[in-house]
Structures are given as C-alpha cells and as structure tokens.
Amino acid sequence: MSRTVYPNYSDIIRNPKALRSWKDSLTTEPYRSYLYSYPHKTSYRELETKLALSELWGKELAETFFLYMHIPFCGVRCGFCNLFTLPDKRADVHAEYVDALERQAKQWAPFIRNKPVARFAIGGGTPTLLEPVQLERLFHIAEHVIGMDPSSVSISVETSPETVTSERLSILKNRLVDRVSMGIQSFIETEAEAIYRPQKPQEVERALEQLKRYQFPILNLDLIYGLPGQTLDSWMYSLDKALSYEPEEIFIYPLYTREHTIVKPEQIRRSGEDQRVRFYIAARERLLKQGYTQYSMRRFAKAEAGSEKRLLPYGCQEEGMIGLGCGARSYTRTVHYSSRYSVGRSATASIIADYVAAADYTQADYGIVLSKDDQQRRFILKALLHTEGLALSSYSDRFTTSALIDYPELNLLVHTDLAVIENEVLRLTEEGLMYSDAIGDWFISPDIRARMESCVVS
C-alpha cells in the first residue's frame, strides 16, 4: 500500500477549486478525532508473538525514560469519557491494585534501571481517589523500586475536586510534585450534570482554594467547551472563573463524543449548530490577552511556568515511556504495548481483575509493532501538532531522508494556509492549530485507520 494519503496532491495544488474543496473536506468536521498519541490505542491487537520486555527495553535508544502510573478508578464515569476507567471507590480494591502495580514494578525494574527517569506522572482515572497510604506507596515504588530521583524529575499528578484534601496535598508537596492537574470542565452545575458529572461549584472552589495554598509550581486546570446547553456566555464565565485562580496552565478541550460514551454524538447534533469553533476562538483570544502562550490547540501556559528543579532532558516524541498499571501504555521506538482496552464497565472490571491476579508481567502480548511508516508519521505528528512545529532537519537526522519527499501531501497544508515553512520548520498557522484534530486524523496511515475502524470496544 502506498504511504501517500493523497498521491495526486500535485494535481490538487494546481487546481484552486480542488484545493478549496480539499480544505473544506478537512475543516467541515474539525473534531472527528482526538489524536493525543499515535498510533491510537484502538489500533492495538494481540501480538503474533509475545515479546520479552528484557529484550525490548534492552534495545531501546531513548537516553532517559518517562515513568507513568495508571490508576483506573474514578468516583463516577463522566458522560464524555472513553478512557480505561472504572467507577469504584472501594479502598480494599485500590489496595489490591497497588499491590499488583508494585509486583509489576519489581519485575520491570531490572530492564529499565540502566537509564534514568526524567519524567514521572500519575494519571487515571483519579489517582487521588486512593487513600493517602496507597497514594504514598506510589511514590515509594517510583523511588525505591524503579530508582527515580525526585530532585531531578518533573512530577505530575491528576486530581479531582472531591478528592482534594490537606492530607493528600501534603503527600504531593512532600514528594516534590511539580504539577497538579485538575479536571473542572465547567463551573456551571447544570452543564456538569449534562455530562453526568455530579459536581457542585462550591466543591470546585473549595478544592481550588486549597490547591493554591500549597503553591505547586504548576497548577493545571481542564475545561471543556461545547457541552450540552452551554452558551458562549456560560463558556466564558467558566473560563474567566478558572483564570481568577491564576493557574500556570490551562487545557481547553472540545467535547468529544463516541458511540460508546454516555453522551452520544446525536445529542450534540440535536443541540443545533455546532458552536465549538466559535467557543475555541473566543477562549484563545481571552487566554492570549491574559498573557498565556499557546503551545497546542489545547494547551495554554504562562511562559515562566515550570519546575525549579534542574531537570533531566526528555524527548518530546515520548519514546522510552514506561507504563505501570492496568491500562497504561508503554512506548519504545518500535513497539507500543499495554493491557487490553475497554470502555464498558464489566469488560474493564474483568481486565483489571486479570491484571491484579497475574503473576508474570515480563512479556508484552497486546499492542502494535510500528512500521517505518508508523514511526515517521508519529514523528511528524508529535511535532507538527504543537506550536514549535516540525524541524525538517530533525526528521532528516532521524530517518536520513526528507519529510516533504516521503510525505509530499504535507504541502497541501501549506497551500491552504493551514501551515507555513519558516526557517526550515513546518509549522501550523493559527488557523491550522484550530483544526489540529482534523489534520491529525487526515494524516493517519491507511493501515492504522483500517485497524482503528475494525476495533470493537466493549
């Protein structure tokens, strides 16, 4: 199969009408896919041959590693969520899960201790749903089993308003956490209820006031636009409310819906005209006016935000990612792997039960082996979808060829003003950033797209 998405790209470029038609086809559905990694997890399958992790990590070229721990438990499943999470607040279930994560870490440690950990994140789910003693254990595992040095590592933890307590925050502060990220989505109670999120504005404000007292280097807040019943005024109210707490970082997400999420795509269609692009533009203008720098379609941060530590370097391509826990993904340069993926409650619970009961975590049996085409597309997308763009020389250094020769269809972005080439960097324009999701979806390889479309999520 040809690697080129548009083998007749040159004919399109020479035809203004065809060029406009191509751009219209790209921008008409701007939120068709949220590409936060590539290949997407729905392209993973059972591997033909189990891979020994000792050999897999022994060949990894990354100079430093990213350690990620996945806690798949939440208080409730939000209406937009299609992540690997399970609503379960039982402390004994959480303790058994952390026991399993520690066993996994002890088995993996010999394979990965040859290089230092440069980044550490605990995500989910809601990690701070754990009792404080279990939350403390996660840091103990990272330091004393994996060998992470917290004084030189950027550490990030996700939380939620109802789980913010002084005891948990004290643990995060004492463990040198640099970044705390909290999903708020909306300060309007009826909008939160519309996405099945039982969240009171007073609870959010209490949590924010408590977080601010601990003065973490980076406080990140997540908001969603395009919620059922949301107006431009109510969206800007939530954004301004978040800004009043002066977070160092804000992520703004369009509402994504899938057939297997609680809020269905047809509910968005029934609500009338899709306002998400309009909401994005208004938010972007407000954030830039408030002194934030845009780093991607979703991420806005204060330029001075960051850890005071002397951090070890880590590459933006996210190779050398060590994913501990059920649902966590691990990335080497040539293989991505994880546990099996589900959204449905019973299937997710079954996968977690298998993980907790397992005795051997030393083989990868579910994932994807990246072809050279996959590796190249990944390299391009991971750079292009951020404001710094793709340095063409970096691609050449990595693959000993030219990105624009390998993928000449990238020129379509330039000829439609969605991207520019400046100082040998291919960079999305302001308009291109707005359509990042559509651009990412367009550039998915035919093989990966076929695997994703054939995925059945239980």
Side-chain angles (χ1 to χ4, degrees), residues 83-211:
L83 301 176
F84 184 87
T85 62
L86 181 69
D88 196 331
K89 296 182 178 182
R90 293 175 293 172
D92 59 332
V93 171
H94 299 171
E96 290 177 352
Y97 179 85
V98 177
D99 288 344
L101 191 147
E102 184 167 10
R103 291 198 305 273
Q104 182 187 15
K106 287 178 178 177
Q107 292 182 24
W108 284 26
F111 312 145
I112 56 183
R113 273 202 155 182
N114 59 321
K115 294 175 183 177
V117 171
R119 302 288 184 270
F120 175 41
I122 309 175
T126 308
T128 50
L129 188 66
L130 299 180
E131 290 295 320
V133 65
Q134 304 301 337
L135 184 62
E136 184 81 64
R137 282 182 67 193
L138 299 180
F139 291 96
H140 178 86
I141 293 167
E143 291 183 37
H144 298 287
V145 178
I146 299 299
M148 179 196 77
D149 177 2
S151 67
S152 60
V153 173
S154 173
I155 305 175
S156 177
V157 178
E158 295 178 12
T159 190
S160 63
E162 70 277 10
T163 63
V164 169
T165 65
S166 57
E167 189 174 5
R168 291 184 176 99
L169 293 185
S170 293
I171 290 171
L172 303 188
K173 191 70 175 179
N174 292 336
R175 289 295 191 166
L176 305 183
V177 169
D178 302 282
R179 178 180 180 271
V180 177
S181 178
M182 187 164 74
I184 295 172
Q185 320 319 348
S186 174
F187 281 89
I188 308 242
E189 188 171 349
T190 55
E191 292 179 2
E193 289 174 349
I195 52 172
Y196 300 84
R197 189 178 178 92
Q199 173 179 285
K200 305 291 185 183
Q202 299 91 328
E203 181 74 12
V204 177
E205 293 176 26
R206 177 203 63 80
L208 283 167
E209 289 165 4
Q210 204 162 6
L211 278 165

Side-chain angles (χ1 to χ4, degrees), residues 379-395:
F379 192 93
I380 291 169
L381 284 171
K382 294 294 291 184
L384 186 62
L385 299 185
H386 294 81
T387 53
E388 62 264 31
L390 171 68
L392 299 176
S393 61
S394 296
Y395 181 94

Side-chain angles (χ1 to χ4, degrees), residues 12-264:
I12 297 174
I13 287 174
R14 286 194 295 265
N15 185 330
K17 185 177 179 180
L19 201 58
R20 286 194 300 272
S21 177
W22 177 84
K23 183 176 182 179
D24 288 345
S25 71
L26 192 75
T27 58
T28 299
E29 296 183 58
Y31 306 116
R32 65 189 80 174
S33 176
Y34 172 22
L35 190 76
Y36 59 91
S37 185
Y38 182 86
H40 193 274
K41 193 172 182 177
T42 52
S43 67
Y44 291 13
R45 297 290 185 274
E46 186 172 347
L47 298 174
E48 292 183 6
T49 304
K50 292 182 180 181
L51 302 176
L53 299 190
S54 56
E55 183 176 351
L56 194 60
W57 285 100
K59 296 177 180 178
E60 177 53 35
L61 299 175
E63 293 298 322
T64 57
F65 292 150
F66 189 132
L67 174 63
Y68 175 74
M69 291 182 181
H70 185 66
I71 307 302
F73 306 110
C74 281
V76 297
R77 175 175 285 279
C78 297
F80 58 85
C81 180
N82 69 337
L83 301 176
F84 184 87
T85 62
L86 181 69
D88 196 331
K89 296 182 178 182
R90 293 175 293 172
D92 59 332
V93 171
H94 299 171
E96 290 177 352
Y97 179 85
V98 177
D99 288 344
L101 191 147
E102 184 167 10
R103 291 198 305 273
Q104 182 187 15
K106 287 178 178 177
Q107 292 182 24
W108 284 26
F111 312 145
I112 56 183
R113 273 202 155 182
N114 59 321
K115 294 175 183 177
V117 171
R119 302 288 184 270
F120 175 41
I122 309 175
T126 308
T128 50
L129 188 66
L130 299 180
E131 290 295 320
V133 65
Q134 304 301 337
L135 184 62
E136 184 81 64
R137 282 182 67 193
L138 299 180
F139 291 96
H140 178 86
I141 293 167
E143 291 183 37
H144 298 287
V145 178
I146 299 299
M148 179 196 77
D149 177 2
S151 67
S152 60
V153 173
S154 173
I155 305 175
S156 177
V157 178
E158 295 178 12
T159 190
S160 63
E162 70 277 10
T163 63
V164 169
T165 65
S166 57
E167 189 174 5
R168 291 184 176 99
L169 293 185
S170 293
I171 290 171
L172 303 188
K173 191 70 175 179
N174 292 336
R175 289 295 191 166
L176 305 183
V177 169
D178 302 282
R179 178 180 180 271
V180 177
S181 178
M182 187 164 74
I184 295 172
Q185 320 319 348
S186 174
F187 281 89
I188 308 242
E189 188 171 349
T190 55
E191 292 179 2
E193 289 174 349
I195 52 172
Y196 300 84
R197 189 178 178 92
Q199 173 179 285
K200 305 291 185 183
Q202 299 91 328
E203 181 74 12
V204 177
E205 293 176 26
R206 177 203 63 80
L208 283 167
E209 289 165 4
Q210 204 162 6
L211 278 165
K212 290 297 288 185
R213 286 197 291 272
Y214 279 79
Q215 297 182 323
F216 292 99
I218 300 176
L219 171 61
N220 171 72
L221 303 180
D222 292 346
L223 298 173
I224 294 180
Y225 55 94
L227 299 173
Q230 191 176 56
T231 65
L232 180 60
D233 286 343
S234 68
W235 162 235
M236 296 306 290
Y237 170 83
S238 286
L239 179 60
D240 286 338
K241 192 74 174 177
L243 286 170
S244 72
Y245 290 92
E246 299 181 327
E248 285 72 24
E249 190 175 72
I250 290 184
F251 273 71
I252 58 170
Y253 294 89
L255 177 64
Y256 297 95
T257 57
R258 303 290 185 269
E259 294 304 329
H260 47 270
T261 56
I262 299 173
V263 178
K264 303 298 183 186

